[in-house]
């Protein structure tokens, strides 16, 4: 199995979610590129090119916050898991299907939960309410992220 994980604006390839995913899927290929920690539109566009290139051949694309916005806009037929996706903040054009999953906390103080409700309604995605805050890194939520990756990647 091949997983592409895209971290958020304050994250990095060695952050809590990335490490949890790498550990869980250590017998698979987990690619977690270092993305630009920027609100700049040009940086977002450059990162989108990277995400689309690295996403080719992946079994699942996973993105958190800014990384979720990138995955949300990625032109890919690969199933997607969006974790508190900041799609409105980055003005992305979502490219989702009913096979994609959104994980988001109602207690998120950075990205409104209602933004994910809207995505789910527009595209028929499954929305799972979970987590204690925007970070989505409590143990229960990390387990849910890993289980969702297994479910999505195995069809």
């Amino acid at each position: 199995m091949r997983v592409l994980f895209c971290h958020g604006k304050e994250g990095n390839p060695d952050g809590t979610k990335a490490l949890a995913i790498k550990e869980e899927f250590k017998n698979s290929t987990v690619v977690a590129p270092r993305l630009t920690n920027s609100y700049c539109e040009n940086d977002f566009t450059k990162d989108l090119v990277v995400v689309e290139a690295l996403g080719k051949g992946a079994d699942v694309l996973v993105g958190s916050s800014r990384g979720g916005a990138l995955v949300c806009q990625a032109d890919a037929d690969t199933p997607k898991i969006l974790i508190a996706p900041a799609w409105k903040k980055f003005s992305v054009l979502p490219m989702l299907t009913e096979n994609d999953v959104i994980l988001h906390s109602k207690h998120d103080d950075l990205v409104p939960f209602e933004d994910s409700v809207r995505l789910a309604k527009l595209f028929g995605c499954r929305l799972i309410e979970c987590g204690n805050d925007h970070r989505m890194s409590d143990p229960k939520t990390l387990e849910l992220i890993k289980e969702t990756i297994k479910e999505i990647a195995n069809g």
Side-chain angles (χ1 to χ4, degrees):
M1 177 169 56
R2 187 164 184 270
V3 178
L4 174 64
F5 176 75
C6 300
H7 64 77
K9 184 180 174 301
E10 302 299 326
N12 65 68
D14 297 314
T16 304
K17 287 183 283 300
L19 289 179
I21 293 167
K22 288 176 185 177
E23 177 61 26
E24 182 71 20
F25 301 100
K26 58 185 166 218
N27 294 328
S28 301
T29 301
V30 177
V31 178
R34 182 167 301 281
L35 301 169
T36 309
N37 290 339
S38 166
Y39 285 112
C40 174
E41 186 177 333
N42 286 339
D43 290 338
F44 190 89
T45 301
K46 288 176 189 174
D47 283 347
L48 184 59
V49 170
V50 170
V51 169
E52 289 180 340
L54 291 175
K56 290 186 185 345
D59 295 295
V60 63
L61 305 181
V62 183
S64 180
S65 194
R66 182 181 184 275
L70 287 161
V71 168
C72 185
Q73 188 167 334
D75 187 8
D77 293 330
T78 307
K80 300 172 180 180
I81 299 172
L82 310 175
I83 304 167
W87 68 281
K88 284 184 81 177
K89 187 172 282 204
F90 291 95
S91 302
V92 306
L93 176 63
M95 299 184 76
L96 301 174
T97 72
E98 63 188 16
N99 299 319
D100 300 322
V101 177
I102 304 166
L103 305 173
H104 204 147
S105 173
K106 285 186 178 176
H107 307 288
D108 191 328
D109 60 349
L110 295 176
V111 175
F113 180 77
E114 293 73 28
D115 291 355
S116 288
V117 170
R118 184 168 178 213
L119 272 184
K121 285 181 179 176
L122 285 170
F123 295 94
C125 306
R126 183 166 38 129
L127 171 60
I128 301 171
E129 192 274 317
C130 58
N132 300 326
D133 54 26
H134 181 71
R135 297 186 62 77
M136 303 287 283
S137 60
D138 60 278
K140 187 175 177 183
T141 302
L142 290 174
E143 281 304 311
L144 180 60
I145 291 168
K146 295 183 285 189
E147 290 304 313
T148 304
I149 291 171
K150 289 176 191 171
E151 175 191 331
I152 296 298
N154 294 325

